[in-house]
Amino acid sequence: MNPISPRVLLVRGMLAGLLAGAVAFLVAYLLGESKVDAAIAIEEAGSALHDHAEDAPVSRALQATAGLGTGTLLYGVAFGGIAALVFCYALGRIGRFGPRATALLVSGGLFLTLNVVPFLKYPANPPAVGDPDTVVRRTTLFALMIALSLLLGAGALILGRRLAPALGHWNASVAASLAFVAAVGLAYALLPGVNEVPADFPAVLIWQFRLTSLAIQAALWATFGLVFGFLAERAIAPVVAPKEAVQPTS
């Protein structure tokens, strides 16, 4: 495998992130926007300010199309670049995996630490749910959970590498995974919970919105892993010189 500049992989990571963001936008638009509209309708039905939608500085139609698309594309490009740098470090250090397998492992690891672990503690809620006065507190707790998840994930990876010489790769991976789960469980227990869902809000809509939010992230990271793995393999594959024809000797 030829050495390659991280800049080359960074560019490919951002390109893969752009494509992944486009897929995430399609999933969000097709599956998520109807849940957002339903939540807004419930909020407006219970509010005396029925002209809320007309007074909004940005129309709902623009939010659901150009606004959503711009946000998901920028998100994909940004995290695609970050994931590419993680890939540069992980390649050859987490086992004898090729570029495609490493890209999928990195994508799966980032999806787990950035999305799944924080989601299980602080699941996403539609716009109509939550006290506006606690938005700063809720955002801070969610960001803290993401930071803890990333640190614990990195710690588990380091622990697995340290234990591998003594326990073997499989046993070390199991031990590191169990340590990660235990540490995440401790973080869940210590961090305060947030439950601001109104008692009369439809539970089905809440969970549909939450599962859709998770599906959007899953689509983004799965697409990134597949596309970036392909691009990275093409970038770092050794150039095999064609064999010279052997001239028969007389």
Side-chain angles (χ1 to χ4, degrees):
M1 191 176 298
N2 293 336
I4 188 170
S5 169
R7 180 178 176 275
V8 175
L9 292 176
L10 176 63
V11 173
R12 283 163 172 76
M14 295 174 70
L15 176 59
L18 181 65
L19 296 176
V23 172
F25 165 70
L26 291 176
V27 175
Y29 183 78
L30 295 175
L31 299 182
E33 286 306 307
S34 60
K35 313 299 186 300
V36 174
D37 288 337
I40 292 175
I42 293 174
E43 181 186 34
E44 291 180 347
S47 173
L49 302 177
H50 294 289
D51 58 344
H52 173 75
E54 288 79 10
D55 294 339
V58 180
S59 67
R60 176 73 189 114
L62 189 60
Q63 292 175 7
T65 53
L68 178 63
T70 301
T72 52
L73 290 178
L74 291 177
Y75 181 92
V77 170
F79 278 94
I82 294 173
L85 296 178
V86 175
F87 172 88
C88 293
Y89 174 81
L91 186 62
R93 290 186 172 92
I94 58 174
R96 297 180 178 179
F97 299 105
R100 292 197 182 196
T102 302
L104 288 174
L105 288 173
V106 168
S107 298
L110 290 174
F111 173 62
L112 175 67
T113 53
L114 284 173
N115 302 119
V116 176
V117 171
F119 172 87
L120 294 177
K121 177 62 178 178
Y122 301 114
N125 288 326
V129 175
D131 184 356
D133 295 333
T134 65
V135 64
V136 175
R137 175 177 177 270
R138 287 184 281 121
T139 303
T140 301
L141 288 173
F142 185 71
L144 178 59
M145 190 66 246
I146 292 177
L148 284 175
S149 179
L150 288 172
L151 290 174
L152 293 175
L157 183 61
I158 294 173
L159 178 62
R161 292 188 61 192
R162 295 283 180 86
L163 295 177
L167 301 180
H169 290 289
W170 175 258
N171 291 332
S173 298
V174 171
S177 299
L178 292 176
F180 175 75
V181 172
V184 168
L186 182 61
Y188 282 177
L190 294 178
L191 288 175
V194 175
N195 185 13
E196 298 181 350
V197 179
D200 58 345
F201 199 89
V204 173
L205 180 57
I206 285 284
W207 282 106
Q208 286 178 341
F209 180 86
R210 290 175 175 176
L211 292 178
T212 299
S213 299
L214 199 60
I216 293 169
Q217 296 296 331
L220 184 143
W221 286 112
T223 303
F224 174 82
L226 293 172
V227 174
F228 180 69
F230 171 76
L231 296 177
E233 186 176 62
R234 288 178 62 88
I236 64 182
V239 179
V240 180
K243 294 183 179 180
E244 296 181 358
V246 179
Q247 298 295 333
T249 56
S250 55

